[in-house]
Every structure is written in structure tokens, then in C-alpha cells.
Amino acid sequence: MDAVFLPLADALGASVDQIKLISCLLISYPLGSVFIRIPNSQPNLKHLFNVFVTLVYFIPVLNLWDGFLQLLADVLVTYYVAKNVKSANMPWIVFALVFGHLTANHIIRAIFQFSYETFEVTGPQMVLVMKLTTFAWNVYDGRRPAEELDKWQTEKRVVEYPSLVEFLGYAFYFPGILVGPYLEFANYRALIDGSVFKIIEKESEARRAAVTIPGRLVPRGRKRVAYRKMVTGLVYLGLFVFFGGQYNYSIAIQDWFPSKSILYRIAIFQVCGVFERMKYYAIWTLTEGAAILTGLGFTGFGPGGSTRWDGAANVKVATIEFAPNMKVLLDSWNMKTNVWLRECVYKRVTPKGKKPGFRSSMLTFATSAFWHGISAGYYLTFLLGGFVQTVGRLCRSNIRPLFLPATYVEQRGAPPPPQTAIKRVYDFIGAILTTMILNYMAAPFMLLTWHDSILGWSRLGWYGHIAIGGTLAFFHLGGTKFLKKTQAARAKKAGVAVNGKATTTPHGSGTSTPGEVPVLPPLDSMVKEVEKAAFARKL
């Protein structure tokens, strides 16, 4: 079918694979409206519909028949192992099989040097690995005593093992098969039987009539939200197509780049970062809209009574582009993957009865790195990201409280701090610095090779390393002690001191609470452990 897409690819200057991918995402919109009209009394028809659409995407459109067979093999192996292996090692067996297969395909992609313009099996396989490993853990949780489970595990556990048709429908859920969104099996089952909308059943009869489509327990507003996502995604895509070729991170390795002043190079690189992110915004927003049309993502009602559809989101664009700090930014990026890392790796490798520590962090880091691929650029980004997180934690603990009222105690469940003029200035400066560090940190992720990554960083004057290294040096050479004393003095003056120490508890300081983990938890914890060990030796 390449001849169908070739004219459009030539007109837009894109690869045929890219045009095919976007076409599949757009076709998912009308197909989503068909899916939700299949009666809940015919669940197998819904499952088969998912499988059929996915087959059409992979074989006649994308010409990935061998890729589909590989994914099918992963699905069938997972289904058999999760059903028949009753030991506590079952989830790890599934994890080793499907993750090992993904890593092998990453190696193949690297050997053949496939570019980003080439769409092959590793993209869908990354999504499927999250789904299959999560399912294995959900089945394992369904066999455990309820009192051993936390809230997430209780909500997502699988007690009634699915039929093969149901599991195939889950694995090949068509709006998310190519680039996400990833969803847990419990959410898929709720989508199929309509219980995702059960909150509406609690409303009065008059209220149900007002907020649902006549004759069906489907909330109003679904199409409006979904097609708004489609238009927004296409806008992001248009910005990337028309400006991404000129403004991207690869300019840092072009011959003309070092001839410009260092200020120009840093400034233009920030513009490049915006357009580099547009392609991710585009595909994730498009898939979110298609998923909403199937009914996925319903989260209740807003303050004005309108329906909310936030459950299928994988990215919060405005929050990312104007984030006041790195924690807020990373919490809004690739959110579904963060959940997977937290629930299926970070918490699972922690011994029973103990809190996640250095070992948990290291294993989570390795998982995140290998899940993305084997290119050196990924590891450079993740490694620097760990130090960035540590700096962010130190800033939130030691500097941020000085821009809040001394009487304000910031802790979980407390109201947000007042937005005073000085707090707004702090957030504004934080947003600029956060964007600059993000663009510097993410450059190797796109440049991929060690040579290009180091060359790009060097032509940017190593400003990210200087900023992060200098800040760490400041905090560990007396800055922390000075800032803590300043906080204590402010608190004491305001009459909110305890034993001469300020009572302010910095929110989001990097200390994990049960069930939480930052976006790159391993490196953050790893750096903290190294720092503690170093200072214990008075190095």
C-alpha cells in the first residue's frame, strides 16, 4: 500500500512510514466510535474487533506481518506462563521472556541503523512489554491475600483469569497498539463491560438522563473532547513537520554551529527543544483522543458537571513547557511509563517489609534504560537526569521555602502556598532554568551516539554540566547549612520554631512515600546513596 501514501509523504517531506503511522492514528477515531457501539452483551465481538483492526494496521498498511507474529508470540507465551506457573517467580519469568525479546530487537535495530523515520516492531513492542509484564503482576496479586496488597495492587489485580480471546483483545487494543496509551487489564475489562461508567449509576435518574447518551450508559462530551484532542495533535504535528526539519537538536553537530556565539547557540537550542518535543505531543495526543472515543479515560465529572476524560493522558503539554521545576515537568511526561516503572519494577524488587533503597533504584534504572534501547545517548541522558533530580530535590528543600511565607507549613494534604509576587518570580526563573536544563539533558536522547552527544554538549559550552555541578558543589560546600540556618531564623522570627528548628516540611523534596517513585527513581536514589557514603568518609 506504499503507493497510496507516497504522494502525501513526498508533499510533506516525511517518510512513508511516518505517514502510515499518522494515518492509522487518525483512522482509529471513526473506528473508536464503531467500537463503543458494539453492545456490552457481546464482549467477544469487541475483543475480535480490536484484533481485526490491529491486523489491518500491521499487515496491509504497515507491512509488518513478521512484527505482528513476534508480538503474537509474546502474547501467547505470557498467557500460557501466567496461567500455568503458580510460583512467585511467574511475573519475573514473563518479564525475562518479553523484555529479553525487546532487547534483542533493539540490538537488531541498532545493527541495521534504522532511523526515526523507519517504523518497525520495537515501538509497539515497548508498549506491549508494559502491558504483558503488568498483567503478570496483576495475576500474581490476584493469588495473594488481600491484606498484603496496597491500593493500586488491589484495584488492578486479576482474580478471574481471562479467556484467550479476551486477552488477545486486551493485548491488541487498537488505539494504543502502535504508540500507547498503555492500560492495565482491569481498566480494559471495565471498558469492555461498561463498568468504567459505573459512577454514573450512582446519580439520580434525572441526572443520568442529562449526562448520558439516550439509550446507553455512555457519558456525553466524549466526542467533543476526543476530536479536540485530534485537532490539537494535528497542530503539534504540523508544527513539527514545518519547523522540525530546521530546528532540531542535530544542529549542534552541524559544521556551521560553532561559528555562532555561545549565547546564540544556547538560545537557538531552546527553540529546537520545543519542536523536538512536538512529535511526541502529536502522537500521544492523537492516541489519547482515539482512546477516549472508545470510552477509555472517563474520570467522572468536573466542578461544572461536565464529564472529564483525563484517564488516557500520557502527557500534559502546558505543564511541561512552563514547569517551575524538573519534578513537575517529569511528572507530566510519559506518565503511563512512570506508573509501569513504579508498580512493576521499583516496588517489586524491594524485599518484603523493607522500603525501596539503592538496590531497587539500580534495577529500575537498568529497566528504564534497556526499555528505551541500547544507544549510548539514552544512558547519557538518564545519568545526567539523576543528578538533575538530586539538584532539584536540594533546591526544593533548601531554597524554595525562602520564597514562601515563614508561617506556611508545606506538607502532603496542605493547601497550596499563596502565590505572592516573590513566589511568582521564583517560579518564573525556575521555569526558564528547567527548560534550559531539559533541552541540554535530552540532547543525547535524540543524537543517540556517544560521539554526537559529546560533540553537541561541548558546542553548548557544557552549560548543563556546569550548572548542575556548580549547584551540587554549592550545596555540599556549606550552602545547605547556610540555607537551613536561614530557614530556621525566618521560622523562629515568625513564631513557628520547634527546638530552634524550622517546622516547614518541604513538599516534594525527593523523599519517597509509600507507592511513590520519581520519574527516574534509580539515579536520584543512587546519587543520594553515593553522597551519603562520601560524606560519611568526610570526602
Side-chain angles (χ1 to χ4, degrees), residues 298-416:
F298 177 66
T299 53
F301 302 94
S306 60
T307 55
R308 296 178 61 91
W309 300 85
D310 305 321
N314 200 35
V315 65
K316 297 179 180 178
V317 177
T319 303
I320 291 170
E321 294 299 330
F322 301 101
N325 56 65
M326 191 61 69
K327 181 181 185 300
V328 171
L329 186 151
L330 295 178
D331 284 346
S332 304
W333 174 267
N334 206 358
M335 298 183 292
K336 299 298 185 181
T337 301
N338 297 338
V339 173
W340 172 65
L341 287 172
R342 180 189 69 207
E343 299 295 339
C344 297
V345 183
Y346 188 64
K347 289 163 62 174
R348 303 294 183 169
V349 298
T350 303
K352 185 177 179 180
K354 295 185 179 181
K355 293 183 178 180
F358 181 72
R359 175 176 172 274
S360 302
S361 297
M362 287 295 293
L363 291 173
T364 308
F365 164 69
T367 302
S368 179
F370 278 100
W371 182 76
H372 280 91
I374 64 170
S375 298
Y378 297 141
Y379 299 88
L380 289 172
T381 290
F382 295 149
L383 181 62
L384 181 59
F387 289 95
V388 169
Q389 282 191 317
T390 299
V391 168
R393 173 179 54 82
L394 291 170
C395 289
R396 291 192 298 274
S397 298
N398 299 292
I399 298 178
R400 188 171 185 267
L402 300 178
F403 292 85
L404 301 175
T407 55
Y408 177 76
V409 179
E410 190 170 17
Q411 57 189 4
R412 189 166 304 280

Side-chain angles (χ1 to χ4, degrees), residues 259-279:
S259 66
K260 303 294 183 179
S261 69
I262 185 63
L263 291 179
Y264 175 87
R265 280 178 269 162
I266 292 175
I268 197 66
F269 207 71
Q270 312 314 309
V271 177
C272 293
V274 175
F275 293 111
E276 283 279 19
R277 291 188 289 277
M278 287 296 167
K279 58 178 171 287

Side-chain angles (χ1 to χ4, degrees), residues 330-520:
L330 295 178
D331 284 346
S332 304
W333 174 267
N334 206 358
M335 298 183 292
K336 299 298 185 181
T337 301
N338 297 338
V339 173
W340 172 65
L341 287 172
R342 180 189 69 207
E343 299 295 339
C344 297
V345 183
Y346 188 64
K347 289 163 62 174
R348 303 294 183 169
V349 298
T350 303
K352 185 177 179 180
K354 295 185 179 181
K355 293 183 178 180
F358 181 72
R359 175 176 172 274
S360 302
S361 297
M362 287 295 293
L363 291 173
T364 308
F365 164 69
T367 302
S368 179
F370 278 100
W371 182 76
H372 280 91
I374 64 170
S375 298
Y378 297 141
Y379 299 88
L380 289 172
T381 290
F382 295 149
L383 181 62
L384 181 59
F387 289 95
V388 169
Q389 282 191 317
T390 299
V391 168
R393 173 179 54 82
L394 291 170
C395 289
R396 291 192 298 274
S397 298
N398 299 292
I399 298 178
R400 188 171 185 267
L402 300 178
F403 292 85
L404 301 175
T407 55
Y408 177 76
V409 179
E410 190 170 17
Q411 57 189 4
R412 189 166 304 280
Q419 291 299 304
T420 60
I422 192 170
K423 174 62 165 52
R424 291 191 179 95
V425 171
Y426 174 83
D427 287 343
F428 177 75
I429 295 174
I432 295 175
L433 295 177
T434 296
T435 299
M436 292 182 65
I437 293 299
L438 170 67
N439 289 324
Y440 181 89
M441 178 178 70
F445 193 91
M446 302 305 300
L447 296 175
L448 294 180
T449 68
W450 173 275
H451 174 270
D452 289 351
S453 299
I454 298 302
L455 179 62
W457 272 348
S458 67
R459 289 180 172 180
L460 292 170
W462 300 97
Y463 78 80
H465 283 80
I466 293 172
I468 298 304
T471 306
L472 284 172
F474 165 76
F475 280 118
H476 293 311
L477 294 177
T480 299
K481 186 176 181 180
F482 169 76
L483 292 170
K484 289 298 184 185
K485 285 184 178 180
T486 305
Q487 288 183 38
R490 292 178 75 240
K492 184 176 182 180
K493 184 176 181 181
V496 289
V498 178
N499 297 327
K501 295 183 179 181
T503 60
T504 302
T505 302
H507 175 68
S509 61
T511 302
S512 296
T513 56
E516 289 190 330
V517 64
V519 173
L520 292 174

